[in-house]
């Protein structure tokens, strides 16, 4: 049975509920402009009634304030974070692709087209017009040096850009670790508060904001489920297990435990691509395995940066182990290859030393040899570093790879495009000039070479690697595509071959630079050799090689259309990245508005709510005042 003062208790419960709602509304209004804040509301329900043992049965007991909870929709959180992941990836791609586009941009005055055109007209054609004139030959060599400088500069620009991207990758990894630490701390604080039955709304907002920030760096998956009492499985403790997974499902935070990432710089003799800079970072779990960056589900700024730094257009090194043998204390592993880009050494990007994955086991290697047998089958014999013996005799038929196949045209792709063009062009030019004669009948010399360093200093490459025996073809034929069936060809990473020529180290032959008269301007036929200045067949061949795609073909175009091909790739990639970034930015604003429509604070709505709650509070106060008068009359004026 209800007490005499039961009405006062009911009114007091209404007063407390109205007060809690007013305080919550004040909190909402105060945080209307706070980033990440979720609107809060008071959760109320009617208190359990009392049996009155009267005709009306039960008496209402007022209102019960259950909790102050956040108003938030997880569906929009997931959609917003997915969009942030895509936006982060394409914003990174767009920024750096615009820089690459600027590096290769051709204004018609200083770009590749102007330099190459100048080489044809002012250079080659002037020599033809003024045969025997030393000045025209010197001017021609000046245009050649400008072409070399163009590629040297472009290579340095890409190297600097790769370093910048590499440094930013470390910044993003540090940011991931910092956010993971904060989420771990908040998990502890939230569980301590919610074990007591309260809701840690503000802390949950902070945690969700951190996850939002993380989703722009890398793709995020959040899993949260309640923790039950082991002694009473039906009772929720109030605590939850909160997990954050990144990069396609790799666990970063598991409630009170977090996993840390670290960047480890590759050693000097450990590269994936030939033209990579030294010290690129690999990402590892601290005290664990390598962080999986190759999965297709990975997104965010980190994915965009990795694709830019390592993107090879899907043309990585891979094959199948065909043979193993022990030679001079080192294991040599023959890897059969069938991909076209691996059978053409002009396209080869395999570094001279690095790490190879064979049957999911990593091995260090310090050299390789390319082989083309008499039947046209191609393979690479990889020489493993000293002491690399684990499981080698049993690896026949296993897959082998160096690096990952990244289907994006990143910096390594554009480095490879420059290297391929230069190898084709240099081989063609050198072949013509070396086969000819100078004005005074002496044998001609090569035009292009490359610089390399060893223990004794800096040297010029002379491309003098030949076949090993009568059945072996000249290695230069591999680069010109003139190899013969029935002959074998072999080139190692240390051979003095066109593989070692890159955009970064290409140069003009020193002797020719010092004395342009060494140009083999005359053709090989006897008439051209002896008739004097009237015949300059080799200069005509040089000009034809520059303009005729049947003489020299790069991606189906002639030599002068190199930039057209590469700029087409760059423009397409940059335009695609810009379009997607703009699209995801529009979606970001749309999804953010949808989230705010639910969890954001509407000041007009809160103002109306305050008026309503003020009335409720006033009425509750009036009820207490009314009951107070009734009890005064009851106690003081009756029952005397």
């Amino acid at each position: 049975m209800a007490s005499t003062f039961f009405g006062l208790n009911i009114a007091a419960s209404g007063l407390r509920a109205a007060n809690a709602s007013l305080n919550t509304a004040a909190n909402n209004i105060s945080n209307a402009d706070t980033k990440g804040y979720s609107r809060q509301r008071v959760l109320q329900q009617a208190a359990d009634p009392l049996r009155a043992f009267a005709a009306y049965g039960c008496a209402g007991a007022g209102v019960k304030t259950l909790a102050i909870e956040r108003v938030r929709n997880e569906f929009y959180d997931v959609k917003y974070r997915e969009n942030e992941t895509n936006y982060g990836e394409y914003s990174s791609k767009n920024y750096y692709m615009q820089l690459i586009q600027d590096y290769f941009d051709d204004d018609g005055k200083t770009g590749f087209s102007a330099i190459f055109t100048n080489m044809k007209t002012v250079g080659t054609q002037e020599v033809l017009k003024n045969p025997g004139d030393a000045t025209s030959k010197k001017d021609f060599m000046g245009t050649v040096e400008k072409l070399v400088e163009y590629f040297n500069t472009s290579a340095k620009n890409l190297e600097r850009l790769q370093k910048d991207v590499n440094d930013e990758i470390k910044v993003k990894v540090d940011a991931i670790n910092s956010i993971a630490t904060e989420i771990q701390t908040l998990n502890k604080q939230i569980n301590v508060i919610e074990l007591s039955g309260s809701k840690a709304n503000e802390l949950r907002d902070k945690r969700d904001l951190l996850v939002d920030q993380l989703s722009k760096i890398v793709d995020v998956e959040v899993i949260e489920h309640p923790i039950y009492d082991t002694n009473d499985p039906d009772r929720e403790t109030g605590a939850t297990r909160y997990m954050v997974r990144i990069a396609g499902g790799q666990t970063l935070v598991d409630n009170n435990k977090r996993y840390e990432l670290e960047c480890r710089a590759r050693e000097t003799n450990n590269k994936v691509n030939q033209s990579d800079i030294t010290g690129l970072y690999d990402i590892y779990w601290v005290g664990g395995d390598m962080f999986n960056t190759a999965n297709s589900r990975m997104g965010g700024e980190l994915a965009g940066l990795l694709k830019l730094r390592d993107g090879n257009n899907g043309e990585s090194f891979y094959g199948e182990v065909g043979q193993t043998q022990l030679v001079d204390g080192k294991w040599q592993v023959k890897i059969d290859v069938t991909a076209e880009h691996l059978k053409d050494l002009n396209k080869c990007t395999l570094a001279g030393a690095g790490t190879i994955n064979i049957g999911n086991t990593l091995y260090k290697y310090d050299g390789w040899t390319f082989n083309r047998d008499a039947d046209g089958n191609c393979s690479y014999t990889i020489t493993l570093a000293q002491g690399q013996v684990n499981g080698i005799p049993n690896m026949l038929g296993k897959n082998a790879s160096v690096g990952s196949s990244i289907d994006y045209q990143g910096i390594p792709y554009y480095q490879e495009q420059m290297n391929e063009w230069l190898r084709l062009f240099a081989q063609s030019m050198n072949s013509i000039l070396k086969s000819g004669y100078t004005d005074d009948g002496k044998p001609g010399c090569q035009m292009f070479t490359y610089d390399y360093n060893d223990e004794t200093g800096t040297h010029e490459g002379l491309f003098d690697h030949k076949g090993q025996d009568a059945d072996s073809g000249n290695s230069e034929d591999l680069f010109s595509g003139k190899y013969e069936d029935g002959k074998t060809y072999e080139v190692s990473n240390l051979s003095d071959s066109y593989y070692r020529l890159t955009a970064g180290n290409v140069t003009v032959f020193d002797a020719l630079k010092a004395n342009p008269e060494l140009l083999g301007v005359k053709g090989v036929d006897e008439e051209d050799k002896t008739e004097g200045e009237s015949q300059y067949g080799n200069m005509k061949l040089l000009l034809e090689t520059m303009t005729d795609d049947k003489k020299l073909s790069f991606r189906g175009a002639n030599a002068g259309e190199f930039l057209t091909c590469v700029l087409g790739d760059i423009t397409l990639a940059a335009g695609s990245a810009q379009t997607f970034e703009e699209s995801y930015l529009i979606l970001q604003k749309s999804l953010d508005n949808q989230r705010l429509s639910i969890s954001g604070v509407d000041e007009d709505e809160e103002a109306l709510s305050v008026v309503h709650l003020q009335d409720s509070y006033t009425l509750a106060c009036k009820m207490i005042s009314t009951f107070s008068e009734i009890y005064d009359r009851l106690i003081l004026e009756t029952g005397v």
Side-chain angles (χ1 to χ4, degrees):
M1 179 178 178
S3 71
T4 304
F5 301 99
F6 189 46
L8 188 60
N9 289 330
I10 294 174
S13 71
L15 184 63
R16 288 192 294 270
N19 185 60
S21 296
L22 277 171
N23 290 338
T24 302
N27 189 43
N28 287 338
I29 293 171
S30 299
N31 288 282
D33 297 321
T34 301
K35 185 175 178 58
Y37 177 80
S38 300
R39 180 169 59 91
Q40 298 178 11
R41 67 183 177 190
V42 176
L43 186 61
Q44 300 175 177
Q45 73 175 31
D48 296 334
L50 297 178
R51 288 292 304 275
F53 299 102
Y56 49 82
C58 293
V63 64
K64 181 188 292 185
T65 302
L66 299 177
I68 298 175
E69 62 178 14
R70 300 185 306 161
V71 180
R72 200 172 182 104
N73 190 315
E74 291 185 4
F75 173 80
Y76 288 119
D77 284 342
V78 172
K79 293 301 178 185
Y80 179 83
R81 289 164 186 166
E82 288 177 351
N83 185 77
E84 280 294 279
T85 297
N86 292 325
Y87 174 68
E89 177 176 346
Y90 283 100
S91 62
S92 293
K93 287 180 178 178
N94 184 35
Y95 176 77
Y96 285 103
M97 286 308 304
Q98 295 296 334
L99 290 178
I100 294 176
Q101 193 170 30
D102 290 341
Y103 290 154
F104 285 94
D105 188 31
D106 194 342
D107 59 3
K109 298 178 181 179
T110 59
F112 173 84
S113 297
I115 293 172
F116 197 80
T117 300
N118 196 42
M119 184 177 172
K120 287 188 298 183
T121 56
V122 178
T124 310
Q125 292 180 2
E126 285 300 316
V127 175
L128 287 170
K129 291 177 184 177
N130 302 286
D133 181 29
T135 302
S136 62
K137 293 174 186 175
K138 184 176 180 181
D139 291 342
F140 171 66
M141 292 308 302
T143 63
V144 174
E145 289 182 42
K146 286 183 179 178
L147 182 71
V148 167
E149 183 182 1
Y150 169 82
F151 280 100
N152 291 161
T153 302
S154 297
K156 287 185 176 66
N157 286 337
L158 289 182
E159 288 173 0
R160 282 195 294 267
L161 192 64
Q162 193 174 45
K163 181 182 183 303
D164 291 342
V165 174
N166 191 55
D167 291 340
E168 190 170 352
I169 286 172
K170 188 176 188 308
V171 171
K172 297 304 177 185
V173 169
D174 291 341
I176 291 172
N177 288 334
S178 176
I179 291 174
T181 301
E182 292 187 63
I183 291 176
Q184 177 197 29
T185 302
L186 287 169
N187 285 345
K188 294 178 182 179
Q189 295 174 344
I190 289 169
N191 277 337
V192 167
I193 292 172
E194 296 189 349
L195 276 169
S196 65
S198 302
K199 289 290 184 182
N201 294 322
E202 283 75 10
L203 296 180
R204 283 182 170 272
D205 283 343
K206 288 182 181 179
R207 186 171 66 184
D208 284 334
L209 184 59
L210 288 171
V211 175
D212 288 347
Q213 295 171 359
L214 182 63
S215 67
K216 188 177 180 183
I217 301 173
V218 67
D219 57 292
V220 174
E221 179 187 5
V222 171
I223 301 173
E224 183 177 16
H225 55 76
I227 297 176
Y228 293 89
D229 188 342
T230 55
N231 297 319
D232 184 4
D234 294 330
R235 187 182 77 85
E236 293 186 16
T237 62
T240 59
R241 183 181 180 185
Y242 190 88
M243 292 181 288
V244 178
R245 294 175 178 170
I246 62 172
Q250 301 174 76
T251 302
L252 178 67
V253 178
D254 187 352
N255 218 31
N256 296 338
K257 186 177 182 180
R258 69 177 175 88
Y259 300 90
E260 188 173 355
L261 296 170
E262 65 176 349
C263 290
R264 300 180 192 172
R266 297 172 189 165
E267 299 173 357
T268 303
N269 61 345
N270 185 12
K271 294 182 178 181
V272 172
N273 303 294
Q274 179 188 17
S275 297
D276 282 344
I277 63 170
T278 301
L280 292 182
Y281 291 120
D282 286 323
I283 306 174
Y284 287 82
W285 293 106
V286 173
D289 298 330
M290 183 179 287
F291 180 66
N292 183 9
T293 59
N295 67 82
S296 59
R297 293 171 56 194
M298 183 174 174
E301 292 172 329
L302 185 60
L305 293 170
L306 287 167
K307 288 178 180 178
L308 282 158
R309 190 194 71 176
D310 302 326
N312 51 29
N313 201 33
E315 296 182 346
S316 62
F317 179 88
Y318 57 89
E320 184 178 292
V321 177
Q323 182 182 345
T324 61
Q325 59 180 342
L326 190 61
V327 179
D328 296 331
K330 290 185 177 182
W331 282 96
Q332 293 186 349
V333 182
K334 180 184 176 185
I335 300 173
D336 298 322
V337 297
T338 56
E340 291 302 318
H341 69 275
L342 296 176
K343 296 163 71 174
D344 183 355
L345 279 182
N346 288 312
K347 299 176 182 290
C348 183
T349 63
L350 183 63
T355 302
I356 185 169
N357 185 325
I358 304 176
N360 293 324
T361 302
L362 298 178
Y363 301 90
K364 296 278 188 182
Y365 74 90
D366 53 19
W368 54 264
T369 300
F370 173 83
N371 304 278
R372 187 183 190 276
D373 65 21
D375 297 323
N377 300 312
C378 297
S379 63
Y380 289 76
T381 300
I382 306 293
T383 302
L384 301 185
Q386 196 79 36
Q388 304 286 294
V389 297
N390 183 34
I392 290 175
N394 301 317
M395 60 173 57
L396 295 181
K398 291 185 177 180
N399 293 328
S401 62
V402 176
S404 300
S405 179
I406 301 174
D407 192 16
Y408 188 77
Q409 294 175 350
I411 293 171
Y413 170 76
Y414 297 110
Q415 289 173 325
E416 184 277 327
Q417 292 289 289
M418 290 195 298
N419 295 347
E420 180 185 352
W421 186 90
L422 277 168
R423 289 165 183 169
L424 288 167
F425 189 71
Q427 201 278 337
S428 297
M429 298 290 107
N430 287 351
S431 178
I432 293 171
L433 292 172
K434 286 164 66 176
S435 67
Y437 297 88
T438 64
D439 274 331
D440 54 5
K442 296 180 181 179
C445 66
Q446 64 192 37
M447 177 187 292
F448 295 103
T449 182
Y450 64 94
D451 290 333
Y452 68 94
N453 298 314
D454 60 17
E455 300 81 6
T456 61
T458 302
H459 308 279
E460 280 188 306
L462 300 176
F463 308 114
D464 60 359
H465 178 73
K466 308 298 181 183
Q468 301 298 315
D469 51 50
D471 294 327
S472 297
N474 188 339
S475 68
E476 288 191 16
D477 293 340
L478 281 172
F479 298 90
S480 65
K482 298 177 181 177
Y483 42 76
E484 301 177 39
D485 292 333
K487 286 191 174 183
T488 60
Y489 298 85
E490 180 179 287
V491 175
S492 81
N493 65 293
L494 295 178
S495 299
D496 188 10
S497 70
Y498 283 94
Y499 156 77
R500 298 181 68 179
L501 183 147
T502 67
N505 65 18
V506 64
T507 185
V508 177
F509 190 44
D510 283 346
L512 188 58
K513 190 189 303 183
N515 183 13
E517 291 295 330
L518 295 177
L519 272 172
V521 292
K522 292 187 175 183
V524 297
D525 63 289
E526 195 64 28
E527 180 184 9
D528 195 10
K529 178 181 176 183
T530 58
E531 193 170 324
E533 297 180 356
S534 60
Q535 296 291 331
Y536 284 85
N538 272 4
M539 294 309 294
K540 294 177 182 177
L541 287 176
L542 290 182
L543 186 59
E544 289 175 3
T545 302
M546 294 181 198
T547 56
D548 188 350
D549 59 11
K550 293 182 176 59
K551 298 287 185 180
L552 190 158
S553 176
F554 175 76
R555 292 171 58 175
N558 63 47
E561 294 174 329
F562 158 77
L563 193 65
T564 303
C565 297
V566 175
L567 262 183
D569 294 334
I570 297 171
T571 303
L572 184 62
S576 175
Q578 183 176 7
T579 299
F580 278 111
E581 181 188 12
E582 291 172 353
S583 297
Y584 287 121
L585 181 59
I586 293 171
L587 268 175
Q588 179 197 65
K589 294 176 181 178
S590 175
L591 289 168
D592 194 36
N593 288 335
Q594 289 175 331
R595 286 211 306 178
L596 289 174
S597 68
I598 295 173
S599 61
V601 177
D602 187 321
E603 294 178 343
D604 293 335
E605 184 180 330
E606 291 297 323
L608 290 173
S609 176
V610 167
V611 173
H612 170 71
L613 292 172
Q614 182 182 11
D615 291 340
S616 298
Y617 189 89
T618 302
L619 286 172
C621 290
K622 192 167 185 178
M623 284 300 304
I624 291 176
S625 177
T626 300
F627 277 117
S628 178
E629 292 180 13
I630 292 172
Y631 295 145
D632 282 345
R633 180 66 58 87
L634 177 66
I635 294 171
L636 299 176
E637 299 183 17
T638 61
V640 179

